[in-house]
């Protein structure tokens, strides 16, 4: 079993987030600079360029939003457009199988929830460490017994 981290702890894909936020900022600055430097544009056209840059940057900020925050009471899973608060008792299993784009939580109601804040795409080792930490937290705080198969698969 992995070492149980001190709470509260936040899991998020740092490299992916940095790339998305950097790209969003660069697009906004570039489109704003184009709007201001192009001659012959009326103020409405300039505002359209700036608004488009802000809209594109905002979309990338949404893509950079995913995270999972674990505290004493449970886990808050923040994905692109939705956020969900789970108590520790609701989480039955933490899985990250080969080929999965992110961690999945199997829940006591029979459903599963994607945790997009732990994704192996750009930082596989970091994602595996985060998945193991979340699994250790779940095992330590869950009302379910820590029997075999409970923790699920973790790739790698």
């Amino acid at each position: 079993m992995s070492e149980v981290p001190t709470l509260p702890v936040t899991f998020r894909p740092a490299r992916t987030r940095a790339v998305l936020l950097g790209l969003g900022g660069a697009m906004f600055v570039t489109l704003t600079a184009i709007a201001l430097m192009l001659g012959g544009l009326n103020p409405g056209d300039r505002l359209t360029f700036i608004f488009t840059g802000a809209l594109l940057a905002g979309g990338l900020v949404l893509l950079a939003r995913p995270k999972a925050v674990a505290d004493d009471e449970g886990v808050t899973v923040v994905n692109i457009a939705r956020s969900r608060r789970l108590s520790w008792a609701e989480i039955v299993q933490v899985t990250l199988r080969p080929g999965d784009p992110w961690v999945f939580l199997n829940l006591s109601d029979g459903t599963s929830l994607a945790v997009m804040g732990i994704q192996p795409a750009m930082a596989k080792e970091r994602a595996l460490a985060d998945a193991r930490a979340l699994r250790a937290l779940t095992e330590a705080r869950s009302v379910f017994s820590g029997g075999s198969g409970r923790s699920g698969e973790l790739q790698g």
Side-chain angles (χ1 to χ4, degrees):
M1 180 165 141
S2 292
E3 184 177 321
V4 179
T6 305
L7 295 176
V9 63
T10 300
F11 303 104
R12 70 174 50 186
R15 282 188 200 162
T16 301
R17 182 175 167 83
V19 168
L20 290 169
L21 293 176
L23 186 58
M27 285 190 336
F28 177 74
V29 168
T30 301
L31 286 173
T32 300
I34 290 170
L36 298 175
M37 293 179 357
L38 276 179
L41 292 180
N42 64 43
D45 291 338
R46 290 182 199 278
L47 284 176
T48 300
F49 266 91
I50 294 169
F51 178 75
T52 300
L55 194 62
L56 292 172
L60 291 177
V61 167
L62 278 177
L63 291 175
R65 185 175 181 247
K67 66 181 176 180
V69 180
D71 59 30
D72 288 327
E73 286 77 42
V75 178
T76 302
V77 177
V78 179
N79 288 331
I80 294 171
R82 294 187 57 166
S83 179
R84 182 164 176 196
R85 178 75 180 159
L86 301 166
S87 69
W88 289 112
E90 292 178 86
I91 304 169
V92 176
Q93 188 177 48
V94 177
T95 61
L96 178 60
R97 293 179 296 267
D100 281 351
W102 37 70
V103 164
F104 287 92
L105 301 178
N106 292 330
L107 305 178
S108 60
D109 65 1
T111 63
S112 65
L113 177 66
V115 181
M116 296 174 76
I118 304 175
Q119 49 185 262
M122 289 182 71
K124 182 179 179 180
E125 292 306 315
R126 179 77 233 158
L128 286 171
D130 287 351
R132 286 184 185 110
L134 183 57
R135 180 179 64 185
L137 283 167
T138 300
E139 289 175 351
R141 297 185 171 273
S142 177
V143 297
F144 296 96
S145 64
S148 65
R150 176 171 170 328
S151 60
E153 297 178 43
L154 295 179
Q155 69 181 10

